[in-house]
Amino acid sequence: MTLPVVTPREVRQDLIARREIALLDLREEDPFAKAHPLFASQLPLSRLEVEILDRVPRKETRIVLYDNGEGLVSPAGKRLATLGYSNVRALAGGLQGWTDAGYELFQDVNSYSKAFGELVEARRHTPSLPAQEVQARIDAKADQVILDARRFEEYATMSIPGGVSTPGAELVLRARELAPDPATTIIVNCAGRTRSLIGAQSLVNAGVPNPVFALRNGTIGWTLAQQSLETGQSRKFPDVSTQTLDEARAKARDVAYRAGVRRIDAEGLTDLATDRKRTLYRFDVRTPDEYASCHLPGFRSAPGGQLVQETDVFAPVRGGRIVLADDLGPRADMTASWLAQLGWEVYVLEGGFEGELATGAWTPSEPPHLPVVETILPRALSEALANEAVVVLDLAPSPAHRKGHIPGAWFAIRAQLAEALERIPEGRPIVLTSPDGVLARLAAPELEEIADQPVRVLDGGTAAWVAAGRALETGLPRTASDPTDVYKRPYEGTDNAAEAMQAYLDWEFGLVDQLARDGSHGFYVI
């Protein structure tokens, strides 16, 4: 499929003017992390149909697709047309065309949120302490609390000694409950820099009376200082008293007002939703547990700290509108204050939790028309594997595959099935699986077109295999595709090389200058 072409200059003009546009990188995460435009969002061809409906909800949105010569744009255009997207373009020259136009390329993931965090520190001189000084304060039993602003799962993997899990949006709400004495020092940490800086500056912006510092360079700085981290911790923030809540509400609302955040009620939300010419994102910024217990229908779970950190993932349509919901208030106000400074038109919903609510974890929208495919049940697949009569290709993300896959299965990336066929044993029928079976169903017709052997899909995916009581295998012993679907983050996990961690910090230190060279961001700092 040949798509209409748009030039890099036209894309950049749309971004600067804040006209709605979704600039989508169709490559896998690892190559994307090596080089991409500032406001590009990574949405791989491999997962296009299972992510696009939630990430780009308005079918008339101006979508610009690019790759780096891999041939991903044409098939992506066909899939989007089938789903009803009507304003899809190709970036002239792809990634190379962007470079040839003289525009900046950024590295890593969530680049524009991280660049913004560095800009905040440069403009506001966010106070911070080095790892060695914080360790000395711990050893001296100083009057302090260490609040970990990351997701709880990251905190549980490794954390600063004595740290308490307090994800970013919870900080202004919970800090005074954890440090009621104004003399108590509050230290905010993350894995690297961004969430530490944004978290600490949130407390400063809200006028928390305590001394507040970011842990300089987070757990990376801690590790480079050769200091020990804790693992497997489960300390979480406490509930808040009425007095603490009232104080946090007033402070957070003041910050949101200074940032230009607008407030709407249920009627106002209905009015925004009827505007078919604008994209509207609805996010619930509370914790995932609170969301699962009850939430407003139509709102997606997006804990506020992660929403600010991963805005490109949650909301790829730059120039769209965002509405935030929070039954307590401060989390939405603080999250909105940062999104506004990032250049978003953002609203906080007043109330709304008094009416009928939904329950359960958020689940992505499923493509409306899945292909009709030949399936196989877990029991029959088990028998076939015992006789070495089939080959299983697992299309799960590589971290999920490592955690657990059907014994004998090969890891494969959907967009690279032709290459995968060259690595797997020949002559056997192929069974495709994925976590819930949806991705496998989508991929089956594509594989049938290029494979000589029969193709079937595991009914219900790997989840059905587990539900049938069958065991999984761990690791990544058989790779039909290289695991480029995931970029190895130098700030997650406990096995990162010192050189990679230092290189990551050096990259972050240079982001303010790169923003200036790029000149398209439109960020401001209150």
Side-chain angles (χ1 to χ4, degrees):
M1 179 178 185
T2 302
L3 292 172
V5 172
V6 62
T7 68
R9 178 180 175 80
E10 290 172 307
V11 171
R12 189 171 186 274
Q13 288 174 333
D14 282 343
L15 291 168
I16 292 173
R18 299 191 185 180
R19 291 187 284 263
E20 280 203 11
I21 185 171
L23 178 60
L24 302 182
D25 190 315
L26 298 168
R27 300 173 296 163
E28 301 299 324
E29 189 181 78
D30 187 67
F32 167 82
K34 289 181 170 62
H36 57 266
L38 178 64
F39 288 112
S41 291
Q42 191 251 345
L43 205 172
L45 178 65
S46 299
R47 300 186 53 79
L48 188 64
E49 303 96 318
V50 298
E51 294 190 18
I52 189 73
L53 296 174
D54 296 307
R55 295 181 66 187
V56 185
R58 192 173 68 89
K59 298 293 181 68
E60 296 76 25
T61 300
R62 182 175 174 85
I63 297 174
V64 177
L65 306 175
Y66 76 89
D67 59 20
N68 196 23
E70 296 90 348
L72 307 175
V73 172
S74 179
K78 291 179 183 177
R79 294 178 193 177
L80 291 177
T82 300
L83 289 170
Y85 288 89
S86 58
N87 191 9
V88 182
R89 304 288 186 269
L91 179 65
L95 186 66
Q96 188 61 50
W98 188 268
T99 304
D100 292 344
Y103 301 146
E104 287 286 311
L105 293 178
F106 287 74
Q107 298 177 23
D108 205 77
V109 293
N110 316 129
S111 303
Y112 82 74
S113 293
K114 293 174 180 178
F116 173 71
E118 296 299 318
L119 185 66
V120 169
E121 186 197 37
R123 297 279 174 86
R124 293 299 309 275
H125 308 291
T126 307
S128 64
L129 294 175
Q132 296 89 338
E133 186 170 341
V134 175
Q135 181 67 69
R137 292 177 60 86
I138 292 173
D139 294 341
K141 296 182 171 53
D143 181 14
Q144 66 181 16
V145 293
I146 300 173
L147 307 184
D148 193 311
R150 299 171 296 164
R151 295 176 296 117
F152 178 75
E153 293 79 9
E154 294 177 78
Y155 163 82
T157 298
M158 45 82 170
S159 58
I160 305 301
V164 178
S165 175
T166 316
E170 307 292 332
L171 286 165
V172 169
L173 175 62
R174 315 283 179 179
R176 293 287 287 145
E177 202 71 43
L178 288 155
D181 185 346
T184 301
T185 295
I186 299 174
I187 299 172
V188 181
N189 84 274
C190 68
R193 292 176 54 81
T194 309
R195 287 172 287 183
S196 298
L197 294 170
I198 295 296
Q201 193 62 49
S202 292
L203 297 174
V204 173
N205 287 354
V208 171
N210 306 65
V212 175
F213 299 91
L215 172 61
R216 196 173 302 161
N217 304 330
T219 58
I220 286 182
W222 197 269
T223 302
L224 290 174
Q226 299 183 330
Q227 296 171 182
S228 298
L229 292 164
E230 293 183 332
T231 59
Q233 296 302 309
S234 58
R235 294 181 291 266
K236 291 186 177 182
F237 58 77
D239 292 333
V240 295
S241 65
T242 301
Q243 179 180 347
T244 302
L245 176 57
D246 290 343
E247 178 183 321
R249 277 178 173 155
K251 290 180 180 296
R253 183 164 294 196
D254 178 68
V255 177
Y257 175 78
R258 286 189 279 130
V261 173
R262 287 174 263 188
R263 314 186 74 79
I264 57 171
D265 56 15
E267 185 177 347
L269 175 59
T270 299
D271 184 59
L272 288 182
T274 59
D275 185 352
R276 302 301 180 186
K277 295 182 179 180
R278 295 290 301 279
T279 294
L280 180 64
Y281 291 108
R282 295 174 246 206
F283 296 125
D284 185 319
V285 297
R286 303 173 300 155
T287 66
D289 288 344
E290 289 174 277
Y291 178 90
S293 67
C294 68
H295 59 266
L296 297 172
F299 277 72
R300 177 178 178 176
S301 177
Q306 289 306 117
L307 178 56
V308 174
Q309 173 83 356
E310 303 177 7
T311 317
D312 61 312
V313 175
F314 285 103
V317 183
R318 189 71 177 162
R321 290 168 169 158
I322 295 176
V323 176
L324 305 182
D326 170 19
D327 58 347
L328 298 180
R331 296 169 290 192
D333 278 321
M334 292 307 301
T335 303
S337 75
W338 291 118
L339 292 175
Q341 294 171 76
L342 279 163
W344 286 91
E345 181 181 332
V346 59
Y347 300 81
V348 169
L349 179 65
E350 294 271 23
F353 285 84
E354 304 82 11
E356 185 175 350
L357 300 176
T359 60
W362 179 81
T363 55
S365 300
E366 189 171 293
H369 304 294
L370 292 177
V372 176
V373 298
E374 185 177 355
T375 61
I376 183 173
L377 295 173
R379 180 176 178 178
L381 176 59
S382 179
E383 294 172 354
L385 285 170
N387 295 320
E388 297 185 351
V390 296
V391 175
V392 177
L393 284 182
D394 183 8
L395 303 180
S398 57
H401 184 93
R402 291 178 193 272
K403 187 175 181 180
H405 57 267
I406 294 169
W410 291 71
F411 167 75
I413 293 174
R414 177 190 173 194
Q416 300 169 14
L417 288 175
E419 295 87 344
L421 285 176
E422 298 177 1
R423 297 193 184 183
I424 63 174
E426 298 178 357
R428 302 180 198 170
I430 299 172
V431 175
L432 286 173
T433 188
S434 58
D436 60 4
V438 173
L439 199 61
R441 283 181 175 270
L442 290 167
E446 301 158 11
L447 185 59
E448 287 175 341
E449 287 186 3
I450 58 175
D452 295 328
Q453 54 267 62
V455 175
R456 286 181 285 179
V457 171
L458 176 60
D459 193 22
T462 305
W465 178 272
V466 174
R470 303 193 179 276
L472 296 176
E473 180 183 24
T474 60
L476 195 69
R478 290 164 295 275
T479 54
S481 305
D482 295 332
T484 57
D485 63 315
V486 172
Y487 157 64
K488 171 62 175 173
R489 292 153 171 76
Y491 42 85
E492 290 185 358
T494 58
D495 60 345
N496 296 304
E499 295 81 3
M501 291 188 286
Q502 186 60 58
Y504 174 77
L505 293 176
D506 293 342
W507 168 76
E508 285 201 305
F509 296 148
L511 280 172
V512 173
D513 289 341
Q514 194 173 11
L515 276 182
R517 293 194 303 271
D518 179 78
S520 70
H521 62 82
F523 302 152
Y524 68 95
V525 180
I526 62 172

